[in-house]
Amino acid sequence: MRQETLEAHWAYMDRYATRMIARGPTLDDAGTPTGSVHALDLPDPAAARAFAFDEPTYQAGGYRDVLLRRWRNALGTTMWDSPGDPAGYLVLGLGEGPPADVEPPAGHDLIAYGPLLSDDGTAWLGTAALTRAATPGAARSILSPAWYAAVEVRTWRFGGRVTAGPAT
């Protein structure tokens, strides 16, 4: 199904090129896609839901689950601003309570970083990062595990068309 909807997926993503902060597949140890990451600058939760649920592969039944979270771009950059290897790790720390790991940590090759928030932006729900850490353990060390109910690390790579990037 992914191959059948790939061109429609890319065409859909092209419509959001100026709002894209990061995108790309998560992979298992064999390099098989297991999901994807799409971080966009959208005006509100309704626009984010429309983006996620109108996407052609989702509409075709290609995704089992969708995790949709408000996210603040603490770095203020996009993946296209980040030179180097277009691969790394997605680090998701899910939690609740007082905000943790608010500032991007020094000494890590971060591509994207910031807090996960409730729809209204008032409650901290965790932290998400994309990094070029050398190992999953190094990626995990970006977050302080005591503050999270769970920390997940997934292999991730830059996604999109070969010529993908923000529209100029």
Side-chain angles (χ1 to χ4, degrees):
M1 177 182 302
R2 183 175 179 274
Q3 289 303 316
E4 292 171 12
T5 61
L6 192 57
E7 181 55 37
H9 167 80
W10 283 345
Y12 184 80
M13 293 298 148
D14 289 347
R15 295 176 17 206
Y16 289 90
T18 61
R19 298 188 164 277
M20 198 72 64
I21 296 166
R23 67 183 284 186
T26 57
L27 310 163
D28 66 15
D29 291 340
T32 302
T34 59
S36 62
V37 174
H38 294 92
L40 288 88
D41 182 7
L42 296 172
D44 56 46
R49 284 185 186 86
F51 168 80
F53 299 122
D54 291 345
E55 191 277 328
T57 306
Y58 177 84
Q59 288 288 310
Y63 300 122
R64 184 185 70 200
D65 298 307
V66 173
L67 174 64
L68 188 61
R69 287 285 183 258
R70 184 178 203 135
W71 177 77
R72 184 176 308 125
N73 184 0
L75 298 178
T77 59
T78 74
M79 69 183 211
W80 294 277
D81 299 321
S82 181
D85 187 11
Y89 296 97
L90 164 66
V91 183
L92 281 177
L94 304 177
E96 61 183 340
D101 295 321
V102 176
E103 295 298 320
H108 294 279
D109 191 356
L110 295 173
I111 299 163
Y113 186 92
L116 299 169
L117 304 167
S118 59
D119 278 356
D120 65 5
T122 62
W124 176 83
L125 302 175
T127 305
L130 294 169
T131 177
R132 285 195 191 85
T135 66
R140 184 177 302 277
S141 74
I142 290 171
L143 301 182
S144 307
W147 291 102
Y148 301 93
V151 175
E152 300 178 18
V153 177
R154 311 278 173 115
T155 300
W156 171 81
R157 72 169 185 246
F158 285 26
R161 298 179 193 272
V162 173
T163 60
T168 56

